[in-house]
């Protein structure tokens, strides 16, 4: 059974469809990136999973059950929704103690997680004086308190410097290696691409793709760059075959979508059209991500 | 039990708690000391100055604010997220807050009484004014219960309104303004407003008010109704 199951989840706020018929699963033992531009519904989905918001329709399940029906929520899920969710006047340690007490955990556990996130030297200082990175660590510590089977972190890399990023990556990979399901959201792919094993990509509340990171990069949908002295002729053939072709302004080259390199090469050979260049265009993961989720304009 | 311990830790781990209690003690000490020390000896002797309720209204507002913060800090600072993820049976959290509100209310009441009695009564006796025990006990019970209920009122109202500023403003209006206005325009209903019930409970000399006991009961009823409403509301509404 999947650790997290989102089934046809829809959440509507008045006119806004925050989450729109979204389905995906998250498995144990890996880090899953939950990706989408600002306002695409990542936080809302997580809040639905945690029983904080009620789905308009559909289901958000933890180990097959709604959050409210878990017998031991603290050991099932650890969540960090927003690093700012702390009373600034409390010390980091006092903050964690309030959560540990509610969860029935001893203060010794608080000190353990403080150690894990390397916050021990600052533990008695008031959170008011914490840097963003320290707040992120504190939020992660809170999520780790119950030694949970599932970790759900909303934008944990937000505000981390490259060093902090590497630290987070290591700790998350280790936690997943221990058999936990780790779900982390981000609106910047490059922020998490070295951390995640699989991805769930959403845009405008809808699922865009779910799969491994490799599948996200896979060239299937990357356009091909084709250079041929008989480009116009080849273009017609390709379009007849269902590919879409864009010109790049040069007479002898074009960009071909929806056709594999093999298909293009075979088609050209069948008609005796010489090919000078046939290659995948260089796209970065970031390009791919933008292509999938639609560039900008996602604020609804 | 876990929720209770957590709520207690939340209360004692912010400085505002100590600030409010300290300010209350300071103001009460100042008021009681000044009035009994400088007040006209004849007035004091005739009991024209109700020594036990000096500064009571302000003290109650402080305790109300303390209670309101207990509930609204969660939404002001976003800790509601972790609170209700860790304790999904949300009514338990509200109940624990009410219990902690009761406890800190009692602490506040004892502090008030200690300061008022320790300073006011001893100054009076040094000036040769005798206060009979019945009057004193009756006065302090009214004031003490009022402070406790004021704090509970804050917790309950806060759980219902969630917004910190709104809760405190609504509380101030209810305690300080609404009933007075209603009484002023001659409405009998004004006596049943929280502020007027509080005045009655705390022995404010006035013909317009309920009896002390009735005032206490009315105020307690407000707390119970608001508390239950807060629990139901917190269960039903989303945490955003
Ligand atoms: N409580 C709310 N009331 C009204 N609208 C809301 C509420 N919460 C979220 N929304 C709307 O739902 C949509 C999705 O928001 P959500 O916070 O889930 O996005 P997100 O993917 O987490 O974005 P970001 O990357 O900026 O954190 C947005 O259009 C947002 O305005
Ligand atoms: Mg978000």
């Amino acid at each position: 059974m999947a650790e997290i199951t989102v089934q046809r989840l829809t959440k509507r706020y008045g006119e806004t469809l925050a989450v729109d018929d979204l389905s995906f699963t998250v498995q144990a033992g890996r880090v899953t990136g939950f990706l989408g531009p600002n306002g695409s519904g990542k936080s809302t989905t997580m809040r639905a999973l945690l029983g904080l918001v009620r789905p308009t329709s559909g289901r958000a399940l933890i180990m097959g059950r709604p959050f409210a029906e878990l017998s031991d929520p603290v050991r099932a899920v650890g969540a960090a929704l927003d690093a700012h969710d702390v009373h600034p006047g409390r010390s980091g340690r006092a903050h964690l103690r309030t959560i540990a007490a509610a969860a029935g955990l001893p203060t010794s556990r608080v000190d353990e997680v403080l150690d894990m996130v390397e916050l021990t030297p600052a533990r008695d200082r008031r959170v008011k004086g914490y840097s963003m990175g320290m707040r992120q660590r504190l939020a992660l510590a809170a999520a780790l308190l119950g030694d949970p089977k599932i970790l759900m972190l909303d934008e944990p890399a937000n505000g981390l410097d490259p060093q902090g990023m590497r630290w987070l990556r290591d700790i998350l990979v280790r936690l997943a290696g221990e058999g936990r399901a780790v779900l982390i959201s981000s609106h910047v792919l490059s922020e998490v691409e070295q951390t995640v094993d699989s991805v769930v990509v959403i845009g405008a509340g809808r699922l865009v793709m779910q799969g491994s990171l490799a599948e996200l990069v896979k060239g299937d949908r990357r356009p091909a760059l084709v250079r041929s002295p008989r480009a116009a002729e080849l273009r017609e053939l390709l379009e007849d075959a269902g590919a879409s072709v864009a010109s790049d302004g040069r007479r002898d080259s074009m960009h071909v979508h929806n056709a594999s390199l093999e298909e293009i090469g075979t088609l050209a050979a069948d008609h005796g059209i010489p090919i000078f260049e046939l290659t995948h265009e260089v796209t970065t993961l970031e390009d791919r991500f933008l292509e999938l989720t639609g560039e900008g304009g996602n604020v609804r | 039990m876990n929720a209770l311990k957590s709520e207690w830790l939340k209360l004692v781990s912010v400085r505002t708690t100590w600030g409010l209690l300290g300010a209350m003690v300071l103001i009460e000490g100042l008021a009681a000391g000044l009035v009994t020390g400088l007040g006209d000896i004849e007035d004091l002797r005739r009991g024209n100055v109700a020594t036990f309720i000096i500064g009571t209204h302000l003290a109650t507002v402080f305790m109300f604010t303390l209670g309101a913060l207990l509930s609204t800090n969660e939404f002001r600072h976003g800790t509601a997220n972790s609170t209700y993820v860790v304790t999904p049976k949300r009514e338990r959290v509200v109940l624990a807050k009410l219990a902690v509100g009761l406890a800190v209310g009692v602490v506040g009441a004892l502090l008030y009484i200690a300061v008022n009695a320790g300073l006011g009564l001893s100054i009076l006796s040094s000036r040769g004014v005798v206060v009979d025990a019945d009057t004193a006990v009756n006065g302090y019970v009214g004031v003490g219960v009022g402070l406790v209920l004021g704090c509970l009122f804050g917790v309950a109202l806060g759980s219902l309104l969630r917004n910190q500023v709104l809760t405190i403003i609504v509380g101030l209006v209810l305690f300080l303004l609404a009933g007075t206005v209603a009484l002023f325009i001659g409405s009998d209903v004004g006596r049943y407003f929280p502020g007027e019930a509080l005045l009655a409970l705390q022995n404010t000399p006035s013909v317009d008010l309920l009896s002390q006991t009735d005032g206490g009961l009315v105020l307690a009823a407000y707390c119970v109704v608001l508390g239950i409403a807060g629990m139901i509301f917190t269960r039903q509404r989303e945490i955003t």
Side-chain angles (χ1 to χ4, degrees), chain A residues 32-294:
Chain A
T32 302
F34 188 24
L35 307 172
N38 289 133
S40 54
K42 304 180 296 293
S43 300
T44 305
T45 303
M46 287 186 165
R47 300 182 80 84
L49 280 164
L50 295 167
L52 296 173
V53 307
R54 200 170 290 123
T56 305
S57 66
R59 304 199 291 173
L61 306 175
I62 303 287
M63 299 195 269
R65 293 200 218 167
F67 189 82
E69 288 170 24
L70 293 173
S71 54
D72 201 350
V74 179
R75 277 150 203 88
V77 192
L81 289 179
D82 189 329
H84 291 101
D85 289 348
V86 201
H87 191 299
R90 279 191 194 109
S91 70
R93 188 163 183 266
H95 170 70
L96 293 179
R97 280 189 69 200
T98 66
I99 299 172
L105 300 166
T107 305
S108 59
R109 180 62 187 160
V110 168
D111 294 330
E112 271 172 41
V113 293
L114 278 165
D115 238 18
M116 281 176 75
V117 302
E118 298 166 15
L119 216 49
T120 304
R123 68 179 201 181
D124 294 319
R125 272 163 48 197
R126 292 200 287 165
V127 174
K128 193 182 284 183
Y130 281 19
S131 68
M132 189 59 197
M134 290 164 84
R135 284 169 196 249
Q136 287 287 16
R137 283 167 194 253
L138 184 63
L140 179 61
L144 289 172
L145 271 173
D147 194 18
K149 200 73 191 49
I150 300 172
L151 266 178
M152 213 185 290
L153 312 175
D154 199 355
E155 314 241 1
N158 209 358
L160 292 186
D161 56 19
Q163 249 180 317
M165 214 91 102
R166 179 170 326 138
W167 171 82
L168 180 70
R169 178 159 66 236
D170 291 348
I171 196 167
L172 293 182
V173 167
R174 196 181 80 225
L175 289 164
E178 293 167 3
R180 290 173 228 267
V182 180
L183 180 68
I184 57 171
S185 75
S186 177
H187 60 271
V188 195
L189 178 58
S190 55
E191 205 170 69
V192 295
E193 65 179 275
Q194 304 197 46
T195 313
V196 300
D197 307 299
S198 46
V199 290
V200 173
V201 183
I202 65 171
R206 280 187 294 273
L207 185 72
V208 172
M209 74 149 284
Q210 159 156 38
S212 66
L213 192 61
E215 280 170 66
L216 179 64
V217 231
K218 210 163 62 180
D220 282 359
R221 295 182 52 185
R222 268 196 289 169
L225 174 69
V226 185
R227 201 154 64 81
S228 163
R230 287 157 63 186
E233 202 178 323
L234 182 57
R235 177 176 184 154
E236 267 173 42
L237 290 166
L238 283 166
E239 282 174 343
D240 287 347
S244 60
V245 181
S247 124
D248 67 353
R250 281 180 295 171
R251 265 189 42 230
D252 68 338
S253 71
M254 56 194 169
H255 304 277
V256 183
H257 292 262
N258 295 330
S260 68
L261 300 186
E262 292 79 358
E263 287 163 350
I264 299 168
T266 309
L267 190 68
D270 285 351
H271 293 82
I273 299 174
I275 296 273
F276 294 164
E277 190 177 346
L278 177 56
T279 177
H280 274 139
E281 280 177 30
V282 187
T283 48
T284 63
L285 258 182
E286 211 63 41
D287 292 336
R288 174 87 179 114
F289 177 64
L290 288 174
E291 172 194 325
L292 281 174
T293 57

Side-chain angles (χ1 to χ4, degrees), chain B residues 138-240:
Chain B
N138 189 45
Y140 284 137
V141 167
V143 169
V145 171
L147 289 171
V148 173
L149 290 178
C151 188
L152 286 174
F153 196 95
V155 176
L157 189 67
S159 70
L160 210 51
L161 297 182
R162 292 188 176 177
N163 182 295
Q164 196 154 80
V165 176
L166 182 70
T167 302
I168 291 173
I169 290 176
V170 168
L172 291 181
V173 167
L174 285 178
F175 274 117
L176 304 179
L177 218 62
T180 318
V181 170
L183 283 178
F184 183 73
I185 59 173
S187 164
D188 227 25
V189 183
R191 298 196 293 169
Y192 293 92
F193 277 52
E196 273 43 45
L198 178 70
L199 289 176
L201 170 63
Q202 296 180 332
N203 286 307
T204 311
S206 164
V207 285
D208 285 334
L209 297 171
L210 297 167
S211 74
Q212 181 178 32
T213 315
D214 287 351
L217 288 175
V218 167
L219 197 58
Y222 275 116
C223 293
V224 170
V225 170
L226 286 177
I228 291 172
M231 266 186 264
I232 295 172
F233 177 82
T234 306
R235 254 184 79 104
Q236 302 295 329
R237 280 292 302 273
E238 304 193 330
I239 307 296
T240 50

Side-chain angles (χ1 to χ4, degrees), chain B residues 88-143:
Chain B
K89 295 193 170 58
R90 298 185 197 161
E91 64 280 0
R92 285 190 190 173
V93 173
V94 180
L95 210 57
K97 285 188 190 297
L98 287 167
V100 166
L102 182 78
V104 73
V106 169
V107 170
L110 292 176
L111 282 172
Y112 177 98
I113 292 168
V115 172
N116 185 293
L119 216 66
L121 286 192
S122 54
I123 293 177
L124 280 186
S125 79
S126 77
R127 295 181 71 189
V129 179
V130 190
V131 178
D132 73 285
D134 267 5
T135 316
V137 169
N138 189 45
Y140 284 137
V141 167
V143 169

